Amino acid sequence: MHSKLSHLLFLSIAIITTQLYAQTYAKNGMVASSNSLSSKTGVSMLKKGGNAVDAAIATAFSLAVTLPSAGNIGGGGFIVFMNADGNVTTIDFREKAPLSATNDMYLDTVGNLIPGSNHNSIKAIGVPGTVAGLYKAHQKYGKLPWANLVQPAIDQAKNGFPFNWSLFAAADRFTQEGNENAFMDNYFRNTEGNVVQPDELWKQPQLAATLTLIRDKGKDGFYKGEVAKKIAKWMKANGGIITKRDLKKYEAIERKPIQGSYKDFDIYSMPPPSSGGVVLVEMMNLMEQANFEEIEFNSTEYVHLVAEAMRRAFSDRAEHLGDPDFNLNMPIDKLTSKEFAKKRFEAIDMTRASISDSTKFGQLYDGDSTTHLSVMDKDGNAVSLTYTLEFSYGSKMGSPELGFIFNNEMGDFNAQPGITKTNGQIGTAPNLVAPEKRMLSSMTPTIVSKNGVPYLVIGSPGGRTIINTVFQTVFNVLEYDMRVDKAIEALKIHHQWLPDRIIYEQHLLSPDTRNALEAMGHTMKEYGNLGALMGITYDPIKKVFTGASDSSRPDGGAVGY
Ligand code: GLY
């Protein structure tokens, strides 16, 4: 089957035949991720006496096998960890620009951006961070032996797992006649050379071998020795610029979280190089200024206020945020302060849309090939982990010998210095390419606590939309007291300053409200679905975990025990 129609057919069959875990209750612990087999893998670690960190690591390795569009060892991401003692920390394993990267590497000889070069070329690959990040999390906070956490992923890759309909839809896309990408064409084929069929066990022997080295040698199993040598060899042969030195130098970094509050709740999220935490807290602070006794969920006023909060926070994101190791004076305290939110709130006209000024700042919407997992354990530990390949299946490149896909994360840097356009291309200085710099992210792994106890663990994929979908879900739970599954499924909108428009989810906004918003000066654009949120809440009175997996991910699951 070759047509778009066939993809639709696959997806609709998937929705009918795959078990949905829309919402799950449990007493002892919970894992929510975009693949229920991987969530079960995480829960099996909890059952063996592991903590939330162990479960998150095992789930992440498993997703590298079951969800290769976003789960990965060739990309990067972030962990927010709340320890049972109430302390919160984060681990930054964002990809880095290679040592030989330059801020004009995507420009032609007259300084114009070579279309697509920052996303669709071997030079779009950043130095991967995932293995270093998971290893660091384990060294500092894990309980079970490292090998036990990697082994289930090795077994899933070696012995295979039932090929699902989402993978089959991707396989159909990548194996069409005329496809020039040999790596992706072979990726979904079995040993006979045929495309793997739904429910057939999909085996990935090369990936299993790579994971085995990681199991036995830890971080060095990826960044040194055989794997590093093969990566460097493959890069050189294909015009890439990542070397053995780049890999050897890569380190994950533990950083202090961004901390904010909303009424009685404390909010912890990711600091730069993700913009997620700063922008989330900025928007929550602004919303705290309004009176929600008078503003109904989904009303014109509500959507207008949310969009105006987003417009302002995304403008600040573009102006100020980048890798903290290269931008030493980012005004984070100011952006996340209540005073700043008060001034921002007072400047909003509740009857008219503001105008995003393209001579200043903004960001472009991009697709989702990121994935999020949330974990809570019986001892009160919580992990919020988001990691990514950037686009779906990242760069769509990899060494056949190693069996995993590389990211195309260099596309998250501002590619053309100094050029900011109304279409959302940004050229501001904090996020320009430089050797060893981390590109600005929107990933927003978040933990909300009350009285020092984790209350909500949440996150999402979705490029720039991540911050806004997490923001609205957190807001739905904290302000409107929605159950986590309802909060995940409720209307999401997205505004990112530039382009100056509100994107809204199909069927979830009434035509009257849309018309009223247009009359206020907003440009409205319908969109199929925003985000794929994986969330868990904990009720400290009933001592019950409630988990939910976004229905946009038919293979996802919140699994507890
Ligand atoms: N690649 C998506 C992000 O990091 O925001």
Side-chain angles (χ1 to χ4, degrees):
M1 277 196 271
H2 285 178
S3 66
K4 271 190 178 158
L5 196 66
S6 67
H7 300 152
L8 285 176
L9 181 65
F10 294 152
L11 289 177
S12 51
I13 292 169
I15 287 162
I16 296 162
T17 57
T18 311
Q19 185 179 6
L20 284 178
Y21 294 87
Q23 163 218 338
T24 312
Y25 298 106
K27 274 288 197 190
N28 296 301
M30 182 84 76
V31 178
S33 84
S34 282
N35 185 284
S36 54
L37 182 63
S38 298
S39 299
K40 281 181 194 158
T41 301
V43 169
S44 72
M45 297 298 138
L46 296 179
K47 286 182 178 166
K48 285 181 185 146
N51 63 16
V53 173
D54 296 317
I57 294 168
T59 308
F61 274 120
S62 172
L63 286 168
V65 179
T66 62
L67 186 81
S69 60
N72 69 80
I73 54 172
F78 304 110
I79 286 173
V80 177
F81 168 51
M82 182 166 200
N83 203 307
D85 64 12
N87 285 316
V88 184
T89 189
T90 77
I91 294 181
D92 162 6
F93 52 100
R94 183 68 161 163
E95 298 93 325
K96 284 169 70 169
L99 285 156
S100 61
T102 60
N103 76 3
D104 60 358
M105 65 190 280
Y106 302 115
L107 307 183
D108 63 18
T109 48
V110 290
N112 290 325
L113 183 62
I114 302 165
S117 58
N118 60 332
H119 266 131
N120 301 320
S121 74
I122 196 160
K123 291 192 178 144
I125 302 174
V127 182
T130 296
V131 175
L134 300 182
Y135 192 68
K136 189 169 197 102
H138 176 260
Q139 294 290 100
K140 290 211 72 173
Y141 303 109
K143 257 172 87 182
L144 294 176
W146 169 254
N148 294 21
L149 310 181
V150 191
Q151 190 60 46
I154 297 173
D155 295 340
Q156 285 155 3
K158 195 171 161 192
N159 305 329
F161 68 94
F163 206 57
N164 59 45
W165 287 95
S166 312
L167 290 168
F168 188 47
D172 181 61
R173 209 164 59 236
F174 284 122
T175 54
Q176 285 184 27
E177 225 173 296
N179 174 33
E180 286 170 12
N181 185 331
F183 179 72
M184 289 312 297
D185 184 59
N186 280 319
Y187 192 73
F188 293 110
R189 292 183 188 272
N190 58 24
T191 41
E192 284 82 50
N194 299 321
V195 175
V196 184
Q197 297 299 300
D199 290 333
E200 182 181 336
L201 289 182
W202 181 37
K203 297 181 185 170
Q204 303 172 75
Q206 291 82 8
L207 177 58
T210 302
L211 287 167
T212 302
L213 287 168
I214 294 167
R215 178 196 66 191
D216 295 343
K217 299 195 160 95
K219 180 190 170 214
D220 288 352
F222 187 89
Y223 294 91
K224 290 180 183 168
E226 202 182 310
V227 172
K229 210 164 129 196
K230 282 181 178 159
I231 293 174
K233 187 178 117 204
W234 177 82
M235 283 279 164
K236 199 163 173 202
N238 292 283
I241 59 173
I242 294 176
T243 61
K244 275 206 282 188
R245 194 155 160 254
D246 281 303
L247 294 162
K248 198 170 159 199
K249 285 195 84 182
Y250 187 88
E251 294 289 345
I253 301 175
E254 186 159 12
R255 299 187 192 272
K256 213 168 132 247
I258 293 293
Q259 185 175 357
S261 66
Y262 187 83
K263 299 187 177 171
D264 295 340
F265 298 94
D266 292 306
I267 300 168
Y268 298 93
S269 193
M270 198 61 212
S274 184
S275 56
V278 174
V279 175
L280 170 69
V281 168
E282 200 179 327
M283 295 190 293
M284 291 298 290
N285 283 343
L286 193 146
M287 297 298 276
E288 204 177 32
Q289 301 294 321
N291 179 0
F292 286 92
E293 304 276 296
E294 289 166 8
I295 302 179
E296 250 183 74
F297 181 70
N298 261 11
S299 61
T300 305
E301 254 191 318
Y302 166 84
V303 176
H304 174 67
L305 181 60
V306 168
E308 293 299 335
M310 291 171 174
R311 182 200 302 278
R312 283 157 179 77
F314 270 78
S315 167
D316 295 335
R317 173 193 193 273
E319 185 174 1
H320 298 295
L321 302 183
D323 184 341
D325 298 337
F326 286 72
N327 296 280
L328 302 180
N329 296 311
M330 290 183 285
I332 291 175
D333 289 345
K334 178 181 159 191
L335 295 176
T336 56
S337 73
K338 301 281 183 195
E339 296 86 310
F340 182 68
K342 188 162 184 284
K343 282 196 198 122
R344 273 282 163 93
F345 177 72
E346 283 165 2
I348 293 174
D349 180 343
M350 284 305 286
T351 64
R352 288 297 307 161
S354 311
I355 291 168
S356 297
D357 181 348
S358 64
T359 60
K360 292 180 187 163
F361 313 102
Q363 275 286 11
L364 187 72
Y365 168 73
D366 60 25
D368 62 342
S369 279
T370 302
T371 191
H372 177 80
L373 65 98
S374 293
V375 186
M376 284 200 200
D377 71 23
K378 63 177 172 27
D379 298 321
N381 300 294
V383 171
S384 192
L385 186 158
T386 314
Y387 68 157
T388 182
L389 288 171
E390 171 62 351
F391 280 3
S392 188
Y393 296 95
S395 62
K396 300 169 190 69
M397 290 180 216
S399 156
E401 285 183 305
L402 294 169
F404 68 87
I405 301 172
F406 285 108
N407 68 83
N408 59 339
E409 215 71 54
M410 293 290 284
D412 269 350
F413 278 117
N414 296 346
Q416 195 176 12
I419 306 295
T420 294
K421 298 182 178 170
T422 49
N423 72 0
Q425 181 184 315
I426 304 300
T428 52
N431 189 35
L432 295 178
V433 182
E436 295 202 85
K437 192 171 177 181
R438 287 158 147 89
M439 55 297 284
L440 185 64
S441 171
S442 298
M443 289 185 278
T444 314
T446 296
I447 297 175
V448 177
S449 67
K450 195 171 178 186
N451 304 323
V453 177
Y455 179 71
L456 167 68
V457 183
I458 194 81
S460 178
R464 309 298 187 271
T465 71
I466 293 173
I467 317 175
N468 288 336
T469 51
V470 171
F471 157 53
Q472 289 163 94
T473 309
V474 170
F475 192 73
N476 291 344
V477 173
L478 303 194
E479 176 59 43
Y480 290 114
D481 202 21
M482 283 186 207
R483 210 173 58 193
V484 62
D485 56 314
K486 301 272 182 212
I488 285 174
E489 300 296 333
L491 167 77
K492 301 291 177 307
I493 67 156
H494 174 69
H495 196 301
Q496 55 175 40
W497 193 59
L498 291 173
D500 187 351
R501 64 182 181 205
I502 296 175
I503 291 171
Y504 64 95
E505 285 181 307
Q506 205 176 19
H507 310 308
L508 294 178
L509 191 66
S510 84
D512 288 354
T513 309
R514 191 192 58 219
N515 293 342
L517 288 159
E518 274 169 351
M520 290 168 82
H522 289 287
T523 299
M524 305 296 293
K525 187 172 162 50
E526 192 177 73
Y527 195 75
N529 173 75
L530 289 168
L533 293 127
M534 299 291 146
I536 306 173
T537 51
Y538 179 65
D539 180 335
I541 313 279
K542 294 185 184 132
K543 300 198 185 323
V544 167
F545 299 97
T546 304
S549 147
D550 199 314
S551 61
S552 69
R553 291 295 180 271
D555 307 303
V559 180
Y561 80 110

